[in-house]
Amino acid sequence: FSERQGPKPLTGRRAVVTSGPTHEPIDPVRYIANRSSGKQGHAVAAALAALGADVTLVSGPVTLAHPPGVRVVRVETAAEMLAASQAALQAPDGPADIAVCAAAVADWRVAAAAGDKVKKGPDGPPTLTLAENPDILATLSQAGPARPRLVVGFAAETRDVLAYAAAKLAKKGCDWIVANDVATGTGTFGGDDNQVHLLRRGAAPEAPLVETWPRLSKTEVAARLAQAIADTLSPHTA
Ligand code: CTP
Ligand code: CA
């Protein structure tokens, strides 16, 4: 099955992966959400598990099967995703080693969701007042002693991909950003392929080290990312 000798490279490492969209309720039957199939995040969880990591996948609403060998916590909202991620990171045996935030978190929620279904009426459409959601990636990156050793974010951009991704790396305080171009026509949303750049924090946060990967299946992107994580946490000594 594997040609690798001895234990898998991430055996004994704990990882938390966020995936999928979040749903922010407007009322009991309506919500605000981002586009996300969860395919890339679920593939990352599976790839880390395949290298031996103990993986908790915190997943928003998706139609995907649970990846094999992965603990899955299902959530709906950004607030629930943050709480579940923090709970998974703060296991009794200390902080997890790896956090990968691949979820497409809704940036805003409705400040006061209605308890009953909002009805159409003579006054016209309702006005929604929005509140900003917590930034899960930034919160985990700045978690002090509870911070995982390696925190990885994703950045989906429609233009100026590298510049926006570098700015996110600097602002959020994560170690790596996997950036992809989601402009119309690139076909990454819901598709099976992804073309990404891996940005690693360099000496200066605004000048990251950039690796551009070829167009690959989301499974292959996940496998490469998991291998890069393993190489960083347990460098080859042979
Ligand atoms: N992210 C998060 N929590 C949020 C918003 C984003 O954890 N509330 C994470 C995503 O999972 C991703 C990274 O932050 O790993 C970048 O998400 P993105 O939406 O590209 O960045 P934002 O900071 O929300 O900026 P904007 O949407 O304005 O481009
Ligand atoms: Ca966002």
Side-chain angles (χ1 to χ4, degrees):
F1 174 74
S2 167
E3 289 175 20
R4 195 177 283 281
Q5 299 295 307
K8 296 174 182 173
L10 290 175
T11 299
R13 305 283 190 192
R14 283 196 303 119
V16 175
V17 180
T18 71
S19 183
T22 65
H23 286 183
E24 310 296 332
I26 296 170
D27 68 16
V29 299
R30 306 181 178 97
Y31 58 81
I32 297 174
N34 279 33
R35 279 186 207 281
S36 170
S37 64
K39 281 179 185 171
Q40 187 64 79
H42 277 54
V44 169
L48 290 170
L51 293 189
D54 174 338
V55 182
T56 302
L57 173 62
V58 181
S59 175
V62 295
T63 54
L64 302 172
H66 288 188
V70 166
R71 188 180 310 104
V72 181
V73 180
R74 302 201 122 244
V75 298
E76 292 269 332
T77 66
E80 290 167 6
M81 186 172 275
L82 175 61
S85 302
Q86 287 176 319
L89 284 172
Q90 292 158 5
D93 36 342
D97 305 282
I98 305 153
V100 181
C101 292
V105 182
D107 291 313
W108 305 283
R109 65 181 179 278
V110 176
D116 286 313
K117 184 181 174 188
V118 178
K119 304 297 287 182
K120 285 185 287 183
D123 298 338
T127 300
L128 300 178
T129 302
L130 303 181
E132 192 158 319
N133 270 331
D135 189 315
I136 299 164
L137 176 61
T139 305
L140 301 185
S141 296
Q142 295 157 29
R147 187 194 196 277
R149 242 176 90 189
L150 190 67
V151 182
V152 182
F154 275 71
E157 307 290 351
T158 55
R159 51 186 282 261
D160 300 329
V161 179
L162 290 179
Y164 278 127
K168 277 176 189 168
L169 184 69
K171 180 170 160 214
K172 290 171 186 260
C174 56
D175 301 296
W176 298 357
I177 288 259
V178 181
N180 65 331
D181 189 336
V182 292
T184 324
T186 52
T188 49
F189 272 136
D192 291 320
D193 290 353
N194 214 348
Q195 200 276 303
V196 307
H197 311 270
L198 175 62
L199 286 79
R200 302 174 198 237
R201 181 177 286 277
E206 26 343 299
L209 310 169
V210 181
E211 251 180 52
T212 297
W213 293 357
R215 189 175 187 88
L216 297 166
S217 72
K218 288 181 177 175
T219 310
E220 289 167 322
V221 168
R224 276 201 184 204
L225 181 64
Q227 189 58 54
I229 290 171
D231 291 345
T232 294
L233 293 184
S234 356
H236 273 289
T237 47

